[in-house]
Amino acid sequence: MFGYTEAQIAWFGMTFGLGAFMLYMLFIILQLARESKAGRFGTFVLLLGLGLGMVGFAAKGVIKFFLS
């Protein structure tokens, strides 16, 4: 498709597409904290609880990079 292989499209989607999706999820979490008037501690708890999966996913990629 447009001169790109399937592997190149998959690599682009997994790096930039997933990164953009994670930033959008962060925006949603911060918007949720603002609309619920959570305060500093409440925002921290929301980011910790809902953002921990994103941090784990990013850490997995970093660990794989350093081990290979």
Side-chain angles (χ1 to χ4, degrees), residues 21-23 25-26 29 50-59:
F21 181 65
M22 290 172 73
L23 286 175
M25 287 174 55
L26 180 66
I29 293 170
L50 298 175
L52 198 59
M54 291 187 295
V55 172
F57 185 80

Side-chain angles (χ1 to χ4, degrees), residues 24-53:
Y24 183 63
M25 287 174 55
L26 180 66
F27 169 75
I28 290 171
I29 293 170
L30 291 174
Q31 187 75 14
L32 178 65
R34 191 182 79 172
E35 287 181 2
S36 67
K37 298 180 181 127
R40 282 188 180 176
F41 183 70
T43 303
F44 172 73
V45 170
L46 280 170
L47 286 172
L48 182 68
L50 298 175
L52 198 59

Side-chain angles (χ1 to χ4, degrees), residues 5-24:
T5 65
E6 182 182 353
Q8 290 172 326
I9 294 172
W11 175 83
F12 183 80
M14 285 300 290
T15 53
F16 296 107
L18 198 57
F21 181 65
M22 290 172 73
L23 286 175
Y24 183 63

